[in-house]
Amino acid sequence: MEVDVADIKRHNSFTSPNIRRAPISKRVGRERCHSYNAQDSKKPGSRLQPTKMSFRVVRSSKFRHVYGQALKREQCYDNIRVSKSSWDSTFCAVNPKFLAIIVESAGGGAFIVLPHNKVGRIPADHPLVGGHKGPVLDIAWCPHNDNVIASGSEDCVVKVWQIPDGGLSRTLTEPVVDLVYHQRRVGLVLWHPTAQNVLLTAGSDNQIAIWNVGTGEVLISLDCHPDLIYSACWNWTGSKLLTTCRDKKIRIIDPRKGEVESEAIAHEGSKASRAIFLKHGLVFTTGFSRMSERQYSLRTPDALNEPIVTVEIDTSNGVMFPLYDPDTNLIYLCGKGDSVIRYFEVTPEPPFVHYINTFQTPDPQRGIGMMPKRGCDVATCEIAKFYRLNNSGLCQVISMTVPRKSELFQEDLYPDTLSDEASLTADEWLAGEDAEPCTMSLKGGYVAGRSTTLTVTKRNALATPRDRERDKEPERSPTPAARDAPPAAATPPPAFTAMVEKQLSDLVEEIRKLKSVIVKQENRIRALEATVKAGLAPPAPSPPAPSPPSPPNNHDDAMAPDEV
């Protein structure tokens, strides 16, 4: 950018405190006139070209001008009894179909699910999702099924729910599956970004459980935290896990091996901290300093002890939640109890985390939820949408846009984003496979598909490993050659183990005993029937001389041979 030296001198005259200045309009014109006169006096008949210098004033970025706009009150959600729990959670979860908010409920825990077209004042008797026996602490929508949501509660149970299209018509109390493992309250639920039906839960028992929701069983349990777990985050491919703990440390964990690869002190303050994985592998953390000043830092996984950047923001008690957009590399910092949303851009140039702007609101926020990029309006250049929960019961919708004159699709603002398709199955991920998340283009907008029902298949706990392998075989898609080939003859198993043989022999022995008992009981019943019939029959006369046999229609004959 080129700047005139005369402009710089004139700027300096404005900032000098010892100069008595004329009105700006007159002063600017007079200075320009004097400069031209001075040039003409030096060389009559010619104009002196002023000396020019080049330097960079502002950073070049297409997200330097991001503006937030709150929608009108009638386009928001009102009269919501937001939960008053002191747990550090966002209390809100959003996807392109529904908005879910944890609410106050008598006699247990509940949350409300609203379609996006149901705006305005919400009736007090609106149907809830209320099957927990304790307050709900955290909720999360499945990234691969917009109708499935998981909830964790103080009753130590994680429940997975199926929400019908169009929302709820009556209170829902029957979940698809109950996940019971934790011994204390469950305050964190997090879905896997690439594997289907893989859910992470963390409780106040300092345990992390990774579930296969499709079977309702625990795949992996991690016991590597000495204290309460504050947050957890998967990396881009879902191969690593990043956690923060009350012992002030952040840990990078290989979940399938159960090993802590690296750990370091994140922030020296004793209050809760948060950490997220960025798309390219960097680690972004928020927390408190020793003097209770809120700060954020940027680190590399190889050197967690040495942050690249550590910046102090302000002094406040509210925990900051970092909400990350991997498509634009923007991080939005939303503090609990704050009335502002700060947003930053992460770039490879120093200072690496660039402050962009702050969105100011008059009311403090109780919780907040961020819409996935699939639910943003590309026609208005909307790059983010937030749902702020106020203490007054209002859920305010805030749209972050980048102004553009053209009405065409802006490809630089909307690269391919995360889709609602899974890259792996739960068994493939558990076996060690990793894959990039499936992406989709937003050109033309996103249209939500029809709901798919979550089916849970309970596995037989008494089945042998071979039986489990046989149960898994139909899930694999056969190759065309295998489909066309005639069915092969079943091969007998090599040899039963000693345990299986003992079980079979015990079963055969039990069956033999039951058969013998049945035969004895049949004989006893026949003997009793014969005794009863003999006692009721009239006494037989003394036998006369031999007489011819009785006719066949005589009913007083002796018993049949089979009744003896």
Side-chain angles (χ1 to χ4, degrees):
M1 180 178 180
E2 297 180 350
V3 180
D4 197 334
V5 175
D7 293 338
I8 298 177
K9 291 180 179 179
R10 187 164 63 252
H11 177 71
N12 293 336
S13 68
F14 290 160
T15 58
S16 176
N18 299 324
I19 299 177
R20 188 174 182 180
R21 307 180 185 88
I24 293 178
S25 59
K26 296 181 180 179
R27 185 168 69 248
V28 173
R30 186 166 64 244
E31 288 174 354
R32 288 179 178 173
C33 181
H34 291 336
S35 64
Y36 287 132
N37 292 339
Q39 294 169 8
D40 295 340
S41 62
K42 293 179 181 179
K43 290 184 179 181
S46 65
R47 295 183 58 185
L48 178 65
Q49 296 293 332
T51 305
K52 295 183 178 180
M53 60 182 295
S54 300
F55 63 91
R56 195 172 180 179
V57 176
V58 294
R59 184 178 60 89
S60 176
S61 172
K62 55 179 173 287
F63 301 110
R64 195 162 55 90
H65 302 288
V66 178
Y67 300 100
Q69 178 66 40
L71 301 187
K72 298 180 180 179
R73 195 179 186 96
E74 55 267 19
Q75 296 176 305
C76 301
Y77 307 86
D78 202 355
N79 194 31
I80 298 175
R81 305 185 307 274
V82 183
S83 173
K84 297 179 181 179
S85 173
S86 60
W87 186 257
D88 290 327
S89 173
T90 58
F91 296 142
C92 181
V94 196
N95 70 5
K97 281 187 178 182
F98 301 104
L99 164 67
I101 302 172
I102 302 175
V103 297
E104 284 289 315
S105 177
F111 59 95
I112 190 171
V113 176
L114 301 171
H116 289 297
N117 57 2
K118 191 176 181 60
V119 295
R121 188 174 180 84
I122 306 301
D125 58 348
H126 191 278
L128 303 174
V129 180
H132 286 283
K133 297 179 181 178
V136 177
L137 301 180
D138 196 18
I139 51 177
W141 289 103
C142 178
H144 309 125
N145 190 340
D146 288 340
N147 295 78
V148 173
I149 186 171
S151 60
S153 170
E154 287 190 3
D155 60 4
C156 309
V157 180
V158 179
K159 295 179 182 288
V160 180
W161 310 85
Q162 178 88 26
I163 308 299
D165 285 336
L168 299 175
S169 58
R170 59 185 180 86
T171 297
L172 183 62
T173 58
E174 293 296 330
V176 179
V177 61
D178 287 335
L179 307 178
V180 182
Y181 173 80
H182 295 281
Q183 301 299 318
R184 299 185 66 184
R185 61 182 178 179
V186 181
L188 177 64
V189 291
L190 179 67
W191 292 91
H192 196 278
T194 59
Q196 181 78 28
N197 293 336
V198 175
L199 178 67
L200 179 146
T201 62
S204 297
D205 54 359
N206 309 336
Q207 300 282 331
I208 290 180
I210 301 177
W211 303 81
N212 182 355
V213 177
T215 59
E217 62 181 3
V218 177
L219 299 178
I220 301 168
S221 60
L222 302 176
D223 185 10
C224 52
H225 296 84
D227 212 328
L228 180 65
I229 301 166
Y230 284 139
S231 70
C233 179
W234 298 100
N235 66 345
W236 181 246
T237 59
S239 60
K240 305 295 180 185
L241 187 63
L242 176 67
T243 63
T244 60
C245 183
R246 187 181 282 173
D247 63 354
K248 305 178 184 181
K249 289 186 178 181
I250 55 175
R251 293 173 173 84
I252 296 180
I253 305 171
D254 187 336
R256 286 170 291 204
K257 295 181 181 178
E259 300 175 354
V260 178
E261 295 185 345
S262 59
E263 62 181 21
I265 298 293
H267 300 275
E268 295 182 353
S270 58
K271 297 179 182 178
S273 60
R274 293 288 186 275
I276 57 173
F277 262 124
L278 303 186
K279 183 177 181 179
H280 300 293
L282 296 178
V283 174
F284 185 89
T285 67
T286 62
F288 294 82
S289 67
R290 187 174 298 176
M291 305 301 294
S292 294
E293 295 176 333
R294 295 196 298 187
Q295 55 184 200
Y296 66 81
S297 67
L298 185 68
R299 306 162 189 261
T300 59
D302 299 334
L304 289 179
N305 287 314
E306 301 175 358
I308 303 173
V309 175
T310 301
V311 178
E312 294 181 353
I313 300 176
D314 59 6
T315 302
S316 178
N317 294 327
V319 177
M320 286 191 302
F321 299 99
L323 304 178
Y324 176 59
D325 182 5
D327 299 335
T328 59
N329 267 334
L330 294 180
I331 298 176
Y332 302 86
L333 295 186
C334 310
K336 205 167 186 179
D338 290 356
S339 58
V340 298
I341 298 177
R342 301 178 179 89
Y343 38 104
F344 305 79
E345 183 180 5
V346 181
T347 62
E349 303 88 14
F352 306 106
V353 181
H354 301 270
Y355 169 77
I356 297 179
N357 206 344
T358 299
F359 175 77
Q360 182 77 39
T361 58
D363 301 322
Q365 57 201 12
R366 177 76 180 149
I368 194 164
M370 184 178 181
M371 171 74 76
K373 189 59 69 70
R374 294 181 287 124
C376 293
D377 185 8
V378 298
T380 60
C381 296
E382 183 181 68
I383 62 171
K385 184 183 287 186
F386 296 96
Y387 291 75
R388 291 181 68 253
L389 305 179
N390 298 337
N391 292 325
S392 61
L394 174 67
C395 179
Q396 190 178 28
V397 183
I398 299 171
S399 175
M400 297 286 183
T401 58
V402 177
R404 293 288 175 92
K405 294 182 179 179
S406 175
E407 296 181 356
L408 300 177
F409 178 72
Q410 306 296 317
E411 295 185 359
D412 59 333
L413 296 181
Y414 299 103
D416 289 350
T417 189
L418 296 174
S419 69
D420 55 354
E421 296 182 3
S423 305
L424 301 169
T425 63
D427 294 332
E428 290 173 346
W429 176 81
L430 186 62
E433 297 185 27
D434 293 323
E436 293 283 326
C438 295
T439 58
M440 59 177 293
S441 175
L442 292 179
K443 191 172 185 178
Y446 170 75
V447 179
R450 298 181 60 185
S451 63
T452 56
T453 304
L454 173 64
T455 57
V456 178
T457 305
K458 295 286 186 178
R459 294 181 179 176
N460 184 7
L462 299 178
T464 63
R466 182 173 181 81
D467 295 335
R468 294 175 184 173
E469 292 296 329
R470 186 173 64 249
D471 294 339
K472 293 179 184 178
E473 289 177 0
E475 298 176 2
R476 304 171 185 170
S477 57
T479 59
R483 285 196 299 265
D484 298 337
T491 57
F496 288 105
T497 61
M499 181 183 67
V500 176
E501 289 181 352
K502 185 177 184 304
Q503 290 179 350
L504 289 177
S505 61
D506 293 343
L507 288 175
V508 171
E509 183 66 21
E510 289 292 334
I511 293 173
R512 188 186 64 79
K513 291 180 179 179
L514 288 174
K515 289 179 68 175
S516 63
V517 170
I518 292 173
V519 171
K520 291 180 180 179
Q521 293 296 331
E522 286 181 349
N523 294 336
R524 181 172 174 272
I525 290 172
R526 288 178 179 175
L528 291 174
E529 288 178 349
T531 304
V532 170
K533 286 188 177 182
L536 295 179
S542 56
S547 59
S550 303
N553 58 355
N554 189 0
H555 297 284
D556 296 331
D557 290 341
M559 298 180 187
D562 59 347
E563 296 179 352
V564 178

